Amino acid sequence: MVSAAASPNEPPGASGELEERFRLLVESVKDYAIFILDPDGRVSTWNPGAERIKGYTAREIIGKHFSVFYPPEVSATGRCDQELLIASAEGRFEEEGWRVRKDGTLLWARVTITALRDPSGTLLGFAKVTQDLTARKEAEENLRMLAAQNAALAEKARVQEFQERFLAILGHDLRNPLAAIDMGTGILRQTLTDAASIRVLNRMQSSSSRMTRMIEQILDLTRSRLAGGLEMLPEPMDLQRTLLRIVDEMHTAHPGRTIVLDCPQIVGSWDPDRLEQVFSNLIGNAILHGDPQHPVRVLASADADQVQVSVHNRGPAIPDELQTTLFNPFRRGERESRTSKTAGLGLGLYISHEIVRGHGGRLDVQSSPDEGTTIRVSMPLHATYKP
Amino acid sequence: MTDAKRHTVLIVEDEEDLREMMREALELKGYSVVTAEEGEEALRKLDSIDQLCLVLLDLLMPGMNGWDFFAALRERPELASVPVIVHSSASSRAPAGVTRVLQKPIAFDRLISVVGEYCDTSA
C-alpha cells in the first residue's frame, strides 16, 4: 500500500516517531477517506479508507486534482476551487454532497477540508476527510419515497371514498324522495278528477321524470369520468326488436311525427339496457331538433362482424363549431340556446358516445343544411367490454 | 275453502315518505299493508301477519339490510315460499333467489300491477 510518504508536500511532523505513529493511524482507518491535497488541490497522500470509498489506488490518484471526485457538472462550475478558498480563508470547509467513485457511481459524502499551515501561516495544503454516507442517504430516500407513496395511497383512498359516497348519494339518497313523489302523483291521479288538478299533476310528474333522468345522467357521467368507466354487460340481443320497441314508444310520445325504421333482423352481443339508452337518445334528439315536416329515418345494417345504425333527420344543420364538441359533456352554448323542451343536462350524447365506445365502437356525425343531420353508430357485432 | 290469494303486503323500506306513499297506494287499491323500516323490525312483525302474500324489500337500509333480511327469511320454512320483490336503487345487486327485482323509482301503476300478480285484495 502506498503511503503518505509518497507526497513531496507532506507536512512536516513534530518528530519522526510521532509522524510514523500518525501515519500508521491514518493507514489503519478504513471507514474514512483521509488524504492531503497540495495548495493547488492535487492529491498528495492516500489511505486505505480513501481507496475503499473512492475506488482509486494511491498510484492512480496521487498527483491528480481532487476535482475528479466531483460529478462533472459540479466540477465544471469551479466549485472545487471555491471550497479550497473557503477552507483557506476560514480554516475549514464542511458539507454533505454527491461525489463520484472511480467507476462512475455516485456516493453521498460528508466532507471536511481543513487548511494546513506552518507556524508562520504559510499554506501547506489541505487535509481532506470524507465519510461515505450513501447507505444512510439511500435509507432516507427510501423512507421519503415510502412516505410519499403512503400519502398518495391515502389520498387515493380518500378520493375513492368520496366517489363512492357521491355515487351512493346520487344512486340512492336522491332517488328515494323522487320515488315517493312519483308514487304520490300516481295516487292522486286515482282520486282527482278536475282538469286543473290533473294539469298540475301532469306537470309534477313530468318534472319528477326529468329529475330522474338527470340523476341517471349525472350518475353515468360520474361513473364514466371518476369511477373507472361505464360498465357494459353484453348478452345476446336482437337489435331489430329493440329498435322496433323504441320507435313504437317514440310514436306514442310524439303522435304527430313520422319515424321510418329500416332494420333487418340483426342479432349480436351488446348490453341491451345501454343500447336502448343510446337509440332512445339519438332518435329523441332527431325528433326534437329535426324538421317536423320530414320523417326521422333509422337505418340499420350489418356485415360479418360490424353493425351500423344511422339516425337521420332533416332540418337546420348543427353549427360547425358545435360538431367538434358534440360528444363533450356540458357543451358550451348548449345551456344558453336550449328551450324548455330540450332542458336536460347536455349529457345525452356524451353518455351515448361513452356507451358505444364501451362496446368497442364509434359515433360519428354528419350535418349540412342540404343533407340534414345523420348520427351513425358503428360497432362490433359481438362487443367486448372496453372500459 | 277457496284458493283465494292472500292479501297482506309487507313493505320493508327505510325512507319514510316512500314507505308511507306505497302504503297509501296499496291500501287505496284494497290491500292490507304492514310496514317496517329495516330488517329486524320486519322479522319481528312477520309472526303477527296472518295473510302475507308478498314482501316488498329495499336493500340499502340502516339496521338489518335487505340482503340479511332475505337470508333470515329463507331460513324460516313456513315463510320460505313467500314471494319477495326487491325494490331498490341497487337492484343489480339483489340477492339470488328473490322472486323479482324492480329498479327504483317505480311508478304507481306498475306497483299496483305487480302486486296484483301475487295478492288478492282484502275487500
Side-chain angles (χ1 to χ4, degrees):
Chain A
M1 179 60 60
V2 180
S3 77
S7 165
N9 292 322
E10 186 181 33
S15 73
E17 195 189 337
L18 195 59
E19 194 176 313
E20 180 58 13
R21 277 196 230 160
F22 181 72
R23 190 185 65 77
L24 287 171
L25 169 70
V26 171
E27 283 277 288
S28 69
V29 171
K30 301 279 192 295
D31 294 332
Y32 292 83
I34 301 173
F35 53 97
I36 290 172
L37 304 175
D38 70 16
D40 296 328
R42 278 188 293 274
V43 177
S44 51
T45 72
W46 199 239
N47 80 329
E51 180 170 343
R52 195 181 66 79
I53 292 173
K54 307 273 194 188
Y56 295 94
T57 62
R59 198 181 302 280
E60 288 168 328
I61 198 66
I62 283 177
K64 297 248 172 69
H65 192 266
F66 83 119
S67 60
V68 298
F69 303 140
Y70 290 73
E73 67 276 12
V74 175
S75 57
T77 63
R79 184 178 169 95
C80 316
D81 295 329
Q82 279 173 10
E83 290 180 4
L84 292 189
L85 278 175
I86 294 169
S88 175
E90 298 176 9
R92 164 186 182 91
F93 172 83
E94 270 187 50
E95 75 157 357
E96 283 189 17
W98 290 110
R99 297 292 185 271
V100 186
R101 296 190 186 95
K102 181 189 166 191
D103 65 7
T105 57
L106 289 173
L107 72 140
W108 183 259
R110 175 184 287 157
V111 177
T112 308
I113 303 175
T114 310
L116 302 172
R117 293 181 186 278
D118 70 8
S120 69
T122 308
L123 184 67
L124 300 171
F126 301 92
K128 195 169 180 218
V129 178
T130 302
Q131 189 182 4
D132 182 356
L133 298 177
T134 310
R136 192 200 73 187
K137 180 75 174 172
E138 281 171 357
E140 282 173 4
E141 285 298 319
N142 284 343
L143 270 179
R144 219 191 313 279
M145 262 167 58
L146 270 177
Q149 281 169 0
N150 280 342
L153 278 176
E155 173 65 9
K156 202 174 158 190
R158 201 186 60 73
V159 169
Q160 182 151 3
E161 193 189 324
F162 173 80
Q163 286 171 3
E164 277 163 15
R165 180 76 196 114
F166 186 69
L167 285 171
I169 289 171
L170 279 177
H172 184 248
D173 301 2
L174 287 184
R175 269 202 272 215
N176 273 335
L178 272 175
I181 292 171
D182 273 355
M183 193 62 60
T185 56
I187 294 168
L188 290 178
R189 200 178 289 285
Q190 300 291 305
T191 52
L192 294 177
T193 50
D194 69 294
S197 298
I198 288 174
R199 278 201 302 276
V200 171
L201 261 187
N202 288 342
R203 292 284 173 207
M204 287 168 66
Q205 203 146 36
S206 83
S207 283
S208 119
S209 302
R210 248 181 56 218
M211 187 78 186
T212 303
R213 274 203 307 278
M214 287 193 271
I215 290 173
E216 295 297 336
Q217 291 193 339
I218 290 280
L219 203 53
D220 280 345
L221 173 75
T222 311
R223 287 192 192 113
S224 74
R225 281 294 168 106
L226 303 177
L230 297 177
E231 194 184 9
M232 301 299 149
L233 303 167
E235 59 179 75
M237 175 183 153
D238 182 342
L239 186 64
Q240 185 191 46
R241 191 186 302 174
T242 300
L243 288 175
L244 271 172
R245 193 178 57 247
I246 295 169
V247 168
D248 212 38
E249 282 168 12
M250 291 287 170
H251 271 140
T252 311
H254 307 275
R257 301 297 295 268
T258 310
I259 307 165
V260 178
L261 173 64
D262 181 354
C263 176
Q265 190 179 43
I266 302 171
V267 177
S269 310
W270 307 290
D271 185 320
D273 291 342
R274 288 304 194 177
L275 279 200
E276 189 164 335
Q277 206 178 335
V278 170
F279 294 121
S280 296
N281 171 243
L282 298 184
I283 298 171
N285 281 345
I287 290 173
L288 211 59
H289 301 291
D291 181 345
Q293 305 304 315
H294 292 89
V296 167
R297 293 181 187 278
V298 183
L299 254 154
S301 62
D303 57 25
D305 47 30
Q306 285 276 319
V307 59
Q308 293 212 335
V309 183
S310 63
V311 178
H312 171 263
N313 65 270
R314 293 234 167 244
I318 300 170
D320 286 347
E321 66 274 16
L322 193 57
Q323 283 192 33
T324 53
T325 60
L326 203 58
F327 303 133
N328 294 354
F330 307 120
R331 292 180 295 279
R332 273 179 63 199
E334 175 97 342
R335 236 190 134 69
E336 292 70 28
S337 66
R338 70 191 189 181
T339 62
S340 62
K341 67 173 180 174
T342 64
L345 291 171
L347 287 173
L349 273 179
Y350 165 73
I351 292 165
S352 291
H353 183 250
E354 289 297 295
I355 292 172
V356 172
R357 218 171 52 87
H359 280 82
R362 50 178 296 161
L363 207 56
D364 296 295
V365 58
Q366 279 183 318
S367 188
S368 69
D370 294 338
E371 302 293 325
T373 298
T374 304
I375 305 231
R376 182 172 289 107
V377 176
S378 319
M379 57 186 182
L381 209 49
H382 297 279
T384 43
Y385 170 43
K386 290 189 182 119
Chain B
M1 278 294 279
T2 67
D3 60 352
K5 286 187 277 186
R6 295 157 180 252
H7 56 72
T8 303
V9 180
L10 171 62
I11 298 174
V12 193
E13 167 65 61
D14 64 311
E15 177 92 1
E16 184 184 356
D17 285 342
L18 179 58
R19 187 173 68 238
E20 291 309 313
M21 210 66 99
M22 288 166 81
R23 176 210 288 280
E24 295 281 355
L26 293 177
E27 287 181 349
L28 183 73
K29 289 295 177 183
Y31 299 100
S32 297
V33 176
V34 175
T35 61
E37 60 177 88
E38 50 85 42
E40 291 278 6
E41 185 190 349
L43 285 176
R44 280 197 305 276
K45 287 185 170 175
L46 270 172
D47 293 327
S48 61
I49 303 176
D50 191 25
Q51 295 287 319
L52 182 65
C53 60
L54 179 65
V55 179
L56 277 171
L57 179 64
D58 188 16
L59 291 177
L60 300 162
M61 294 179 288
M64 182 189 271
N65 65 33
W67 292 275
D68 292 344
F69 169 80
F70 182 69
L73 186 71
R74 283 295 179 251
E75 279 174 16
R76 294 169 63 165
E78 76 280 13
L79 295 169
S81 63
V82 173
V84 174
I85 296 185
V86 163
H87 176 227
S88 171
S89 52
S91 57
S92 62
R93 292 190 282 135
V98 297
T99 314
R100 208 155 162 174
V101 179
L102 302 174
Q103 172 72 31
K104 268 187 190 171
I106 182 179
F108 172 85
D109 293 340
R110 178 129 170 84
L111 175 72
I112 298 304
S113 104
V114 169
V115 171
E117 290 179 37
Y118 301 92
C119 304
D120 256 347
T121 54
S122 55

